[in-house]
Amino acid sequence: MEKIRMKTPLVEMDGDEMTRVIWKWIKEILIEPYVDLKTEYYDLGLVRRNETDDRVTVESAEAALKYGVAVKCATITPNAARVKEYDLKEMWKSPNGTIRAIMDGTVFRAPILVKGIEPYIPTWKAPITIARHAYGDVYKNSEMKVPEDAKAELVVTDRDGRETRQLIHSFDTSPGIVQGIHNLDASIASFARCAFRYAVDTKQILWFAAKDTISKTYDHRFKDIWAEIYENEYKAQFEQLGIEYFYTLIDDAVARVMRSEGGFIWACKNYDGDVMSDMVSTAFGSLAMMTSVLVSPDGKYEYEAAHGTVTRHYYKYLKGEETSTNPIATIFAWSGAFRKRGEMDNLPELVNYADQLEGACFDTLNEGLATKDLVNLMEGLTPKCLTSAEFLKAIRERLEKRLGA
Ligand code: NAP
Ligand code: MG
């Protein structure tokens, strides 16, 4: 078989620990034999980030904006223990946070559904994708303890020095607490555009929920900005595709989600997204089966697995032991990136390769061949537990058949 040609390189962001090992295996076993792989390589492994004072992360994000499609391996976000372990010059910031800020993007997380692994909610038949606004609100708050007999006010000073004041509360009967939060029209608009674009891209219904009945200025602003952008920029496209956008209250959305069949995108404010994404991903079964894509408002994409670097497995690997780490979400990051690149560059063979690669993963799992994390979740068949290397080989055999290679 002749290798599939690419036109534009993918931006490849390598990472850390067990996922870095699996990354290399995926390329060697499942990609390079079939695709004439073109990437612009950035090593986001912690060692290289430290050597470059984290410039490599910034450069990789800039490359993602330039080329339009990136694929990222999981990376360590350093804490105090990692600073020691890697002898770091500084406690470098989360690469995902840096990349998200540069791409002004929104993260969409979706589970990979497999026969035999049933979601905890029996009505859920199709994936629920969560989009979380990753700016502001309680994550950039300012908060204080307030003593008794003090009063708290909201004060806004405009550029001419004029003050607008509003009483929050007079703490006459008890001490208490106070919190100030904010958001930006521009960030809310970017979030909305990312979500509308992703809905069009994946032809799915889009929900957005907040609490505008209680928060008549703050949450209402979100609702209004979304409505305006929808009307002016996306409504016609949505109608043409037969998909729908609707706004509802957050508590109504939660009730509807639990009764739904899935198959839609649920856009959430920052805090709601933090909480609900953990609920939804747990209810779908396994962190190792969750994909993640960062989408910028002007349609640039960075694909990755939602899980981390699987440190515990890496230490086993370093001792020479075999591990049964699940590579599926990382494989789907690659297939997602190839499919998008293929669509952008009009390369149907590359899109087909992405489909067949995912198909080969499903074939393998449907035959009951799985990694350890999935074995306990599978019902209706007696699964066989494979090591990562054996599992990748099994996928390769099925991919080979599908591609007629
Ligand atoms: P993790 O790497 O996701 O692993 C947590 C546990 O989940 C693992 O110990 C393993 O459980 C299970 N697991 C996760 N992915 C798996 C897979 N592919 N196959 C099999 N089991 C899997 O999270 P963490 O241990 O909290 O974080 C480790 C490092 O990853 C940290 O340095 C963190 O900063 C980083 N991180 C990076 C990202 C990212 O780059 N997007 C995201 C999250 C965390 P068992 O040990 O029980 O087998
Ligand atoms: Mg959380």
Side-chain angles (χ1 to χ4, degrees):
M1 184 188 130
E2 208 181 314
K3 285 193 192 181
I4 297 158
R5 294 272 170 83
M6 295 178 65
K7 281 185 193 155
T8 317
L10 288 176
V11 177
E12 177 183 353
M13 303 168 171
D14 207 345
D16 288 298
E17 300 194 312
M18 201 61 214
T19 40
R20 187 182 179 100
V21 175
I22 299 235
W23 189 262
K24 184 164 169 279
W25 288 349
I26 291 172
K27 283 171 66 181
E28 285 169 4
I29 299 170
L30 297 176
I31 299 173
E32 282 161 352
Y34 309 104
V35 180
D36 190 15
L37 183 63
K38 271 193 194 168
T39 73
E40 192 164 296
Y41 179 85
Y42 292 86
D43 183 358
L44 300 198
L46 190 48
V47 173
R48 187 73 192 139
R49 275 183 277 149
N50 192 51
E51 281 169 5
T52 62
D53 295 336
D54 209 20
R55 268 195 319 277
V56 66
T57 308
V58 172
E59 284 163 7
S60 74
E62 283 165 353
L65 287 178
K66 176 177 165 198
Y67 291 106
V69 186
V71 55
K72 180 180 171 291
C73 179
T75 45
I76 292 170
T77 298
N79 54 17
R82 298 296 199 170
V83 172
K84 239 179 163 179
E85 181 184 353
Y86 283 82
D87 191 18
L88 299 180
K89 297 184 217 168
E90 265 182 50
M91 199 186 290
W92 305 111
K93 282 191 278 187
S94 150
N96 285 43
T98 302
I99 296 167
R100 198 163 56 213
I102 292 172
M103 290 178 69
D104 187 21
T106 298
V107 174
F108 296 80
R109 272 184 164 205
I112 301 158
L113 296 197
V114 209
K115 271 184 237 146
I117 304 176
E118 298 304 325
Y120 289 109
I121 312 296
T123 52
W124 291 0
K125 305 280 181 249
I128 295 169
T129 302
I130 297 252
R132 171 181 170 191
H133 185 208
Y135 179 81
D137 299 354
V138 70
Y139 301 86
K140 267 200 187 296
N141 73 357
S142 172
E143 50 185 29
M144 287 183 217
K145 284 186 176 161
V146 184
E148 192 169 339
D149 291 326
K151 71 174 175 182
E153 290 176 298
L154 214 50
V155 183
V156 174
T157 312
D158 71 15
R159 65 160 72 88
D160 302 320
R162 272 187 306 258
E163 289 184 354
T164 310
R165 281 173 183 269
Q166 212 176 9
L167 179 70
I168 299 171
H169 193 71
S170 279
F171 291 77
D172 300 332
T173 55
S174 165
I177 41 183
V178 65
Q179 179 180 65
I181 61 170
H182 80 281
N183 223 299
L184 302 173
D185 287 1
S187 175
I188 299 167
S190 287
F191 172 43
R193 288 197 177 94
C194 295
F196 288 128
R197 179 179 279 277
Y198 193 72
V200 166
D201 247 27
T202 57
K203 299 181 189 59
Q204 293 186 85
I205 292 171
L206 173 64
W207 308 12
F208 175 56
K211 193 74 179 178
D212 64 295
T213 47
I214 298 297
S215 171
K216 290 189 165 62
T217 303
Y218 196 102
D219 276 23
H220 214 289
R221 189 78 192 124
F222 279 81
K223 180 182 175 181
D224 289 346
I225 288 173
W226 276 66
E228 195 185 316
I229 291 175
Y230 178 66
E231 284 297 321
N232 296 338
E233 298 173 30
Y234 291 95
K235 193 173 178 196
Q237 260 177 298
F238 269 58
E239 284 173 357
Q240 207 174 22
L241 290 170
I243 56 174
E244 188 191 349
Y245 162 64
F246 73 91
Y247 171 86
T248 187
L249 289 169
I250 184 67
D251 36 355
D252 178 56
V254 170
R256 283 177 190 237
V257 163
M258 299 314 277
R259 291 192 307 260
S260 77
E261 292 195 348
F264 55 87
I265 302 160
W266 182 13
C268 293
K269 286 181 61 199
N270 208 349
Y271 177 83
D272 299 334
D274 186 352
V275 177
M276 292 305 160
S277 66
D278 277 16
M279 183 194 74
V280 170
S281 61
T282 306
F284 271 110
S286 167
L287 190 58
M289 297 292 279
M290 188 68 61
T291 61
S292 185
V293 52
L294 175 68
V295 182
S296 78
D298 59 345
K300 309 289 163 65
Y301 297 77
E302 180 248 296
Y303 292 85
E304 62 178 285
H307 60 76
T309 59
V310 212
T311 310
R312 203 181 62 84
H313 295 209
Y314 182 58
Y315 290 137
K316 282 178 74 178
Y317 167 83
L318 287 181
K319 280 193 262 165
E321 291 172 40
E322 294 272 6
T323 74
S324 183
T325 316
N326 187 340
I328 295 275
T330 305
I331 297 173
F332 274 62
W334 278 100
S335 59
F338 282 127
R339 182 179 296 110
K340 178 55 71 184
R341 197 67 269 170
E343 286 166 4
M344 284 181 170
D345 290 351
N346 195 20
L347 293 171
E349 317 81 56
L350 198 59
V351 174
N352 178 57
Y353 166 77
D355 292 342
Q356 300 312 322
L357 178 56
E358 290 178 5
C361 292
F362 288 123
D363 293 346
T364 310
L365 292 168
N366 289 341
E367 287 173 45
L369 303 175
T371 45
K372 191 164 164 232
D373 55 306
L374 298 181
V375 161
N376 299 325
L377 300 172
M378 284 183 151
E379 289 164 19
L381 45 82
T382 316
K384 192 170 169 218
C385 182
L386 304 183
T387 63
S388 299
E390 290 167 343
F391 187 62
L392 287 168
K393 191 165 160 275
I395 297 171
R396 162 78 175 261
E397 285 162 15
R398 283 146 191 88
L399 178 61
E400 195 108 331
K401 259 190 225 146
R402 280 176 166 261
L403 292 173

